[in-house]
Amino acid sequence: MLKMANRFPIILPNRLPISAGVHNSASVSSFSIASCAQFSRTLKRSKNLSSYRVPRRLVFGIGVSFWAQFMNMAGNSSTSSIIASARTKGSVDQILENVQWPVQFPFKEEDFQRFDESSDLVFYQAPRFVTHIDDPAIAALTNYYKEAFPPSNTPGVALLDMCSSWVSHFPAGYKQERIAGMGLNEEELKANKVLTEYVVQDLNTNPKLPFADNSFDVITNVVSVDYLTKPIEVFKEMHRVLKPGGKAIMSFSNRCFFTKAISIWTSTGDADHIMIVGAYFHYAGGFEPPQAVDISPNPGRSDPMYIVHSKKLATI
């Protein structure tokens, strides 16, 4: 698995760094985290954090045992080797090439459990006008969008930014007649200048997208795919609202609100996350084979950044 430098320590109560967040709860102390994997390891070994302990399956998910089973089911010895040795951009970009997916969806219900199962609308009730990845990672994502997006002000083009916030990291000055946003905090969505409309909705309780079939040319989701507890339902909805040939772009790093990320995500590493998101596209159906791109700007020195993308199959 990829091992990226964790440049920030775990920060316990009452601090909110730029690249993380704070959760206040009666049963769980506030904390922020630079790396999901970092906190998972610390949680496992720290006596001082005994109050955080929950059943191993819930926190640490399926981990390595899942990938061993997955590769055995699919006969993916070459893909397993790529994941085990992925250290360079070239290796990461190959992870989703020629994957032999198992016939049946290989995930279980408990893989989508979370440390904190309370309402996401409550968790995100207070606005967080911060960014969750560092500036070099943001710049890398914006540069990717410059190449992937239709030209600004193209007639008839519409974009959807899922799990949106006060900023979407689109190229400066980028405009289309319709850029819709979906998120959990209305104040943040109101502040997002690129959006022409927005919807407040918790996709974990209602994965049905409130848009007509074949509405969007591009769907984006920035560092939030790890929070989806019903990913297949959401990806099927993404397929429905995309125009034929429309593109879905899932981007993610190694940072998260640990208590809200799903078990399978917090128990695995960066290269595995690429496989997980690729599996969502595959098992949702109707998408081209997903592709992975490593856009990490300064490996080991700034936040890693990965893209998994696919297009809706064109109708015949």
Side-chain angles (χ1 to χ4, degrees):
M1 297 181 187
L2 294 176
K3 293 186 181 294
M4 296 296 178
N6 295 319
R7 298 175 296 105
F8 301 101
I10 294 175
I11 303 172
L12 290 169
N14 303 321
R15 291 190 63 187
L16 179 60
I18 290 297
S19 51
V22 172
H23 172 47
N24 292 308
S25 168
S27 58
V28 180
S29 299
S30 305
F31 65 86
S32 59
I33 187 70
S35 163
C36 303
Q38 179 189 19
F39 186 76
S40 182
R41 292 191 299 269
T42 304
L43 181 65
K44 182 178 180 180
R45 66 173 181 261
S46 175
K47 295 180 180 180
N48 295 328
L49 295 179
S50 59
S51 61
Y52 292 115
R53 294 189 185 279
V54 295
R56 176 179 172 81
R57 178 72 181 187
L58 178 59
V59 176
F60 299 106
I62 53 180
V64 175
S65 62
F66 164 77
W67 292 112
Q69 180 183 11
F70 178 92
M71 296 306 167
N72 288 335
M73 291 171 64
N76 287 341
S77 58
S78 61
T79 303
S80 179
S81 177
I82 290 172
I83 288 180
S85 63
R87 292 293 186 275
T88 67
K89 288 191 176 184
S91 295
V92 170
D93 294 351
Q94 295 174 36
I95 289 174
L96 293 177
E97 291 185 2
N98 303 314
V99 176
Q100 300 174 43
W101 300 100
V103 174
Q104 296 182 340
F105 186 56
F107 302 97
K108 299 179 180 180
E109 182 178 353
E110 55 262 40
D111 299 327
F112 302 101
Q113 291 179 322
R114 301 171 298 169
F115 188 101
D116 178 5
E117 295 287 2
S118 65
S119 170
D120 290 343
L121 288 172
V122 173
F123 183 85
Y124 292 98
Q125 186 173 16
R128 295 178 175 90
F129 294 105
V130 298
T131 53
H132 301 280
I133 47 178
D134 62 19
D135 289 343
I138 290 172
L141 179 60
T142 299
N143 286 334
Y144 178 86
Y145 283 162
K146 288 179 182 178
E147 300 297 325
F149 283 2
S152 190
N153 293 309
T154 301
V157 165
L159 282 74
L160 170 61
D161 188 29
M162 292 178 54
C163 305
S164 189
S165 180
W166 67 283
V167 61
S168 296
H169 307 310
F170 287 7
Y174 188 82
K175 293 182 179 180
Q176 297 293 355
E177 183 177 345
R178 186 182 191 192
I179 301 180
M182 295 188 69
L184 287 166
N185 185 278
E186 187 168 14
E187 287 188 55
E188 292 181 15
L189 295 171
K190 281 183 178 179
N192 191 327
K193 302 302 183 184
V194 75
L195 302 180
T196 62
E197 62 187 83
Y198 66 82
V199 176
V200 177
Q201 182 173 319
D202 182 357
L203 292 173
N204 287 338
T205 58
N206 178 17
K208 178 76 173 178
L209 301 182
F211 305 108
D213 296 358
N214 306 315
S215 294
F216 297 101
D217 297 271
V218 178
I219 295 176
T220 57
N221 183 318
V222 181
V223 295
S224 295
V225 69
D226 46 324
Y227 303 123
L228 297 177
T229 61
K230 298 179 175 66
I232 297 302
E233 290 92 330
V234 171
F235 275 60
K236 285 181 176 179
E237 279 293 287
M238 287 165 47
H239 176 270
R240 179 183 65 80
V241 303
L242 275 172
K243 299 175 184 179
K247 188 174 187 178
I249 303 170
M250 305 290 109
S251 60
F252 49 92
S253 184
N254 66 347
R255 295 173 178 266
C256 65
F257 294 119
F258 180 85
T259 61
K260 285 297 185 180
I262 58 173
S263 175
I264 191 176
W265 196 274
T266 59
S267 68
T268 53
D270 293 0
D272 306 286
H273 298 161
I274 292 168
M275 285 291 290
I276 291 168
V277 179
Y280 294 166
F281 278 115
H282 175 79
Y283 291 102
F287 286 100
E288 295 181 358
Q291 299 178 47
V293 184
D294 183 354
I295 62 170
S296 303
N298 303 297
R301 299 190 302 277
S302 63
D303 292 340
M305 202 68 200
Y306 309 103
I307 302 285
V308 175
H309 63 90
S310 183
K311 290 183 178 180
K312 178 176 177 175
L313 291 171
T315 56
I316 299 176

